[in-house]
């Protein structure tokens, strides 16, 4: 048996979306004003401000996704001394690769609840995994399938590679990254049929 290394390098994000009560939003906005810091700065220490809350990454009742940026990452496939480098993931569907890509649009805001989206951006080996195949068999890249989630909210849109399959089996991937930025965005629920944009 030999190992085929499958790695995505570049930039990626961990995106978490959670609902917050009006009371929690009021406390957080007051803290932002008092400290003169960004919402992301305040959210990073949310348990100090909202003692009954979970950490930011556990406020994920709407969404929790991690993946490689479609626009800023490269797929590497290494089979011994052979290397395949795909800088635009959409090329996986074309000749000579003939792989498969499946995408899903995610837009959770419906105006009925307050949602805070927190984005932790990272750089490095966003996904690092591999498969084992028999020594006498060729790696068949056409059996590779990539899943993409298109995250959309409040004018923000980002497409992330979240999962990779080979021959129908998910490839377990670990990251090896360093943090680059941390941001949070608030979308308030609508009042009287209109979106509440008060800050």
């Amino acid at each position: 048996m030999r190992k085929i290394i499958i790695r995505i390098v570049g930039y990626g994000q961990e995106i978490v979306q959670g609902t917050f009560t009006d009371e929690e939003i009021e406390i957080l906005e007051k803290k932002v004003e008092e400290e003169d810091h960004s919402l992301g700065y305040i959210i990073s220490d949310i348990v100090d401000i909202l003692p009954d809350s979970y950490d930011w990454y556990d406020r994920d009742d709407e969404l929790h996704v991690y993946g490689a940026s479609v626009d800023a990452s490269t797929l590497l496939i290494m089979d011994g001394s052979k290397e395949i480098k795909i800088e635009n993931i959409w090329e996986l569907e074309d000749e000579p690769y003939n792989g498969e890509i499946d995408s899903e649009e995610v837009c959770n805001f419906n105006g009925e609840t307050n949602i805070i989206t927190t984005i932790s951006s990272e750089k490095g080996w966003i996904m690092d995994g591999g498969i084992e195949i028999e020594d006498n068999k060729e790696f068949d890249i056409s059996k590779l399938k990539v899943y993409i989630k298109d995250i959309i909210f409040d004018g923000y849109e980002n497409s992330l590679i979240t999962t990779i399959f080979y021959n129908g089996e998910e490839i377990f991937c670990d990251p090896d990254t360093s943090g680059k930025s941390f941001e949070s965005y608030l979308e308030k629920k609508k009042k009287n049929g209109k979106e509440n944009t008060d800050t």
Side-chain angles (χ1 to χ4, degrees):
M1 302 290 285
R2 71 182 192 279
K3 186 171 183 179
I4 311 297
I5 297 172
I6 297 174
R7 182 177 295 156
I8 299 182
V9 300
Y11 290 86
Q13 286 84 32
E14 180 177 10
I15 301 180
V16 174
Q17 289 183 329
T19 56
F20 287 74
T21 66
D22 291 346
E23 291 75 20
E24 287 178 318
I25 294 300
E26 185 177 348
I27 293 170
L28 291 172
E29 288 187 320
K30 184 178 180 181
K31 193 69 174 178
V32 166
E33 184 177 352
E34 288 176 351
E35 299 288 338
D36 193 24
H37 282 303
S38 68
L39 179 60
Y41 183 90
I42 299 301
I43 289 294
S44 65
D45 292 322
I46 190 172
V47 292
D48 293 334
I49 302 162
L50 302 174
D52 293 330
S53 176
Y54 303 108
D55 284 308
W56 68 269
Y57 44 81
D58 286 326
R59 295 297 298 260
D60 60 353
D61 54 311
E62 290 291 335
L63 177 73
H64 196 153
V65 62
Y66 174 84
S69 172
V70 167
D71 297 326
S73 60
T74 299
L75 172 63
L76 300 175
I77 301 168
M78 289 159 281
D79 181 1
S81 61
K82 300 177 184 177
E83 179 180 283
I84 298 173
K85 185 177 183 180
I86 302 177
E87 295 188 1
N88 181 345
I89 194 63
W90 295 106
E91 294 177 3
L92 179 65
E93 293 184 306
D94 302 330
E95 294 283 353
Y97 310 122
N98 299 314
E100 185 178 353
I101 295 176
D102 190 11
S103 62
E104 173 191 5
E105 185 176 291
V106 180
C107 183
N108 289 324
F109 185 67
N110 59 14
E112 297 179 359
T113 56
N114 303 305
I115 293 181
I116 291 180
T117 303
T118 297
I119 304 171
S120 176
S121 296
E122 302 177 0
K123 180 182 179 182
W125 295 0
I126 307 301
M127 304 175 79
D128 183 31
I131 58 170
E132 288 190 345
I133 62 175
E134 296 179 12
D135 291 331
N136 61 348
K137 288 189 176 180
E138 290 289 327
F139 173 75
D140 185 354
I141 195 170
S142 70
K143 293 181 179 179
L144 209 63
K145 183 174 184 178
V146 170
Y147 278 89
I148 292 173
K149 285 193 176 182
D150 300 312
I151 315 298
I152 300 171
F153 67 92
D154 193 27
Y156 175 93
E157 184 171 353
N158 192 7
S159 297
L160 298 180
I161 302 165
T162 59
T163 319
I164 305 173
F165 286 80
Y166 181 76
N167 198 25
E169 294 188 11
E170 182 177 350
I171 299 172
F172 179 77
C173 294
D174 274 329
D176 185 3
T177 63
S178 58
K180 304 303 292 183
S181 65
F182 189 88
E183 301 168 303
S184 293
Y185 303 87
L186 166 63
E187 290 180 289
K188 291 184 180 180
K189 68 182 180 182
K190 296 178 181 179
K191 291 185 177 180
N192 300 322
K194 297 181 179 180
E195 185 175 355
N196 179 17
T197 57
D198 295 340
T199 57

